[in-house]
């Protein structure tokens, strides 16, 4: 459970987002140029390591540039609105526009990804984001374009992010052999957390030097990602992955929703991840506001987010070591019960660095659960449903990231900080009980069984 998303990467709102379900049509061993497995027999060479997997490294690197740019403007948008004389409400509306447009676009994006050429979708999304952010930077340079221009660019960015993230998630199993999927997921999780650590600080520094720089930097980053993706060699998709031409968008989306509704294991992991992320994203806001109300220095408040991201990076580095040692049931049990035990500490530890360390401990545990559960989702989801499943999960994660802070803010305003922390503790305890008592989670196979021969 990381995240952004994947950007976000489920990757929005600071939540520990569980990456979207991804399907896989490759088996353990070397994949051919069409994405189909080459059967590994005794004495056959092992698959190339990920460090030498050209297509995976192109996707990974392009996503790094994309996520760093997006995280860099996360703080620049509200600062720009306020600098132009806007209100705090208008500043929050810009952030809502990005998350809301991303959530609304996720479901149709999933259907498009299953119907269109996935490389073209990636290129279109990065070029669209580069143009929109470039125009915003130009607007800031020649004179303020006003709140309407900023909102329009925010919506374009949200839609493009939904397209890029959904496509990236759907492509991963086609370019990585099954035996390496867990490692690839862990590295993608580390990529997201690294962007959350570096991006906001870099964006703030650029904004301090010149208002237009964060937006210009994201435009350039998206252009770099675009040119990298031009060299991506797409694997041939299975024939079943191409829907009939008469199938409409609404029909494609309904089919994806029906598939998810009838697949109990996938449905269970989505619901658990959504609930967990909703609570955690709300907690992050609560901790930051409590620290501000307590008069903690701005640098110490900013360190809360940095510690959270650092915990996620360390957890992602450790995830490949732990993914074979734990069953999916044990991994989810560990994460949910540890969170339920750690969260009450937020009511008693000093606000600031100490509370950041508590959140970092939770983030440390999340990538292992993410890696194991996401690999399961990859294996059982057919190629023709990858994009749609990613879209459905994108909607649920975005909704959780939006509703969590809203509920947390209402609770904080009405019952106070300590009571809000206790409510979050109760919610996490309920999630842990569902995981503990649920037969579906206990029946998940071990990762070794899913990935095939170790490599």
């Amino acid at each position: 459970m990381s995240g952004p998303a994947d950007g976000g990467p489920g990757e929005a709102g600071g939540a520990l987002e569980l990456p979207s379900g991804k399907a896989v049509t490759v088996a353990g061993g070397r994949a051919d140029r069409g994405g189909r497995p080459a059967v590994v027999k005794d004495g056959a060479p092992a698959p190339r390591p990920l460090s030498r997997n050209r297509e995976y490294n192109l996707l990974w690197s392009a996503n790094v540039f994309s996520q760093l740019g997006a995280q860099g403007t996360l703080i620049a948008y509200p600062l720009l609105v306020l600098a132009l004389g806007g209100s705090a409400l208008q500043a929050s509306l810009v952030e809502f526009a990005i998350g809301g447009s991303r959530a609304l676009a996720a479901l149709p994006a999933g259907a498009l990804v299953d119907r269109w050429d996935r490389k073209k979708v990636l290129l279109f999304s990065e070029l669209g984001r580069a143009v929109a952010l470039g125009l915003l930077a130009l607007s800031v340079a020649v004179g303020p374009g006003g709140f309407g221009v900023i909102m329009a660019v925010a919506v374009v960015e949200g839609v493009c992010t939904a397209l890029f993230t959904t496509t990236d998630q759907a492509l991963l199993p086609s370019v990585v052999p099954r035996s390496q999927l867990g490692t690839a997921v862990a590295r993608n999780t580390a990529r997201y957390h690294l962007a959350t650590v570096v991006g906001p600080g870099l964006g703030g520094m650029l904004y301090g030097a010149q208002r237009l720089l964060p937006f210009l930097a994201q435009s350039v980053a998206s252009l770099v990602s675009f040119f990298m993706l031009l060299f991506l060699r797409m694997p041939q998709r299975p024939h079943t992955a191409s829907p009939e031409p008469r199938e409409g968008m609404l029909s494609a989306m309904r089919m994806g929703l029906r598939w998810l509704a009838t697949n109990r294991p996938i449905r269970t992991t989505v619901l658990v991840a959504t609930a967990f992320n909703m609570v955690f994203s709300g907690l992050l806001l609560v901790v930051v506001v409590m620290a501000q109300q307590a008069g903690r220095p701005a640098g110490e408040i900013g360190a809360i987010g940095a510690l959270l991201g650092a915990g996620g990076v360390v957890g992602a580095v450790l995830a490949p070591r732990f993914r074979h040692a734990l069953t999916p049931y044990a991994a989810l049990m560990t994460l949910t019960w540890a969170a339920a035990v750690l969260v009450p500490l937020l009511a008693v530890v000093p606000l600031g660095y100490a509370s950041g360390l508590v959140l970092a401990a939770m983030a440390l545990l999340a990538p292992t659960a993410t890696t194991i559960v996401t690999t399961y989702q990859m294996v059982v989801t057919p190629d023709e449903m990858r994009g749609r499943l990613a879209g459905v999960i994108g909607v649920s994660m975005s909704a959780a990231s939006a509703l969590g802070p809203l509920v947390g803010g209402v609770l904080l305003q009405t019952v106070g900080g300590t009571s809000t922390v206790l409510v979050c503790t109760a919610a996490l305890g309920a999630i842990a009980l569902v995981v503990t008592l649920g037969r579906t989670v206990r029946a998940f196979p071990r990762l070794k069984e899913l990935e095939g021969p170790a490599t």
Side-chain angles (χ1 to χ4, degrees):
M1 299 177 183
S2 130
D6 265 226
E11 306 160 351
L16 294 181
E17 176 185 354
L18 181 69
S20 299
K22 313 173 185 74
V24 62
T25 56
V26 299
R30 187 187 303 276
D32 64 18
R33 291 184 63 185
R36 295 177 294 274
V39 178
V40 177
K41 298 182 179 180
D42 292 340
R48 292 172 300 173
L50 286 179
S51 60
R52 294 174 56 196
N53 185 324
R54 179 181 181 275
E55 271 51 61
Y56 171 74
N57 286 315
L58 277 174
L59 275 176
W60 193 93
S61 301
N63 213 317
V64 165
F65 282 98
S66 183
Q67 289 186 18
L68 276 175
Q71 291 294 325
T73 56
L74 195 62
I75 192 173
Y77 272 115
L79 290 175
L80 178 62
V81 171
L82 294 173
L84 296 178
S87 66
L89 175 60
Q90 287 179 314
S92 65
L93 283 175
V94 173
E95 296 292 336
F96 180 80
I98 297 174
S101 59
R102 180 176 178 181
L104 290 175
L107 196 59
L112 288 173
V113 166
D114 287 336
R115 294 160 59 88
W116 291 1
D117 183 300
R118 289 171 175 169
K119 178 177 177 178
K120 290 181 180 178
V121 176
L122 286 174
L123 293 172
F124 172 83
S125 61
E126 285 300 79
L127 186 60
R129 187 156 40 186
V131 171
L133 270 296
L135 289 175
L136 179 57
L138 180 63
S139 172
V140 174
V142 300
F147 179 69
V149 173
I150 300 173
M151 283 289 287
V153 172
V155 170
V156 171
E157 181 174 357
V159 172
C160 290
T161 299
L163 286 169
F164 186 93
T165 302
T166 303
T167 310
D168 176 71
Q169 292 167 349
L171 269 177
L172 180 63
S174 298
V175 300
V176 175
R178 179 183 294 187
S179 58
Q180 297 175 342
L181 282 176
T183 301
V185 171
R187 292 185 181 183
N188 288 0
T189 304
R191 174 187 65 197
Y192 163 66
H193 285 292
L194 183 62
T196 63
V197 173
V198 177
L202 181 60
M205 182 179 67
L206 291 174
Y207 184 89
Q210 180 59 250
R211 289 179 186 174
L212 63 84
L213 287 181
F215 309 104
L216 180 61
Q218 184 181 1
S219 178
V220 172
S222 292
L223 282 177
V224 172
S225 176
F226 173 86
F227 284 111
M228 293 179 71
L229 292 169
L230 285 174
F231 298 95
L232 183 68
R233 291 196 296 257
M234 295 291 295
Q236 180 181 347
R237 296 177 63 186
H239 294 298
T240 56
S242 300
E244 295 295 328
R246 64 177 178 272
E247 181 187 28
M249 281 292 298
L250 289 178
S251 176
M253 288 188 285
R254 284 196 299 268
M255 184 183 298
L257 291 171
R258 283 197 300 269
W259 184 86
L260 178 62
T262 57
N263 191 307
R264 185 174 179 179
I266 297 292
R267 187 177 71 244
T268 300
T269 57
V270 172
L271 291 175
V272 169
T274 301
F276 186 91
N277 280 281
M278 181 174 173
V279 176
F280 191 87
S281 59
L283 266 175
L284 182 60
L285 172 73
V286 167
V287 170
V288 169
V289 173
M290 288 172 61
Q292 186 179 43
Q293 291 175 343
R296 306 308 303 170
E300 190 170 347
I301 295 175
I304 295 174
L307 288 168
L308 170 63
V313 171
V314 174
V317 171
L318 296 176
R321 299 175 181 269
F322 295 150
R323 62 193 176 97
H324 287 306
L326 296 174
T327 63
Y329 180 62
L332 285 173
M333 281 262 292
T334 301
L335 173 62
T336 54
W337 280 114
V341 171
L342 287 168
V343 167
L345 296 177
L346 296 173
V348 296
V349 300
L351 293 167
Y353 294 121
S355 53
L357 288 172
V358 173
L359 295 178
M362 293 174 60
L364 180 71
L365 298 170
T368 296
T370 296
T371 298
I372 295 173
V373 173
T374 304
T375 302
Y376 174 85
Q377 294 174 335
M378 289 180 181
V379 172
V380 302
T381 305
D383 179 83
E384 64 269 21
M385 289 294 170
R386 289 188 208 165
R388 277 168 279 194
L389 180 59
V392 170
I393 296 178
V395 172
S396 66
M397 292 299 102
S398 297
S401 296
L403 289 175
L406 177 62
V407 174
V410 171
L411 287 172
L412 194 60
Q413 185 72 26
T414 55
V415 301
T418 300
S419 296
T420 300
V421 169
L422 293 178
V423 171
C424 292
T425 301
L428 289 170
I431 295 171
L433 280 174
V434 169
V435 171
T436 303
L437 302 177
R439 296 180 180 179
T440 302
V441 179
R442 274 184 285 179
F444 283 176
R446 296 182 69 93
L447 199 56
K448 286 183 178 180
E449 299 171 17
L450 293 173
E451 291 184 322
T455 58

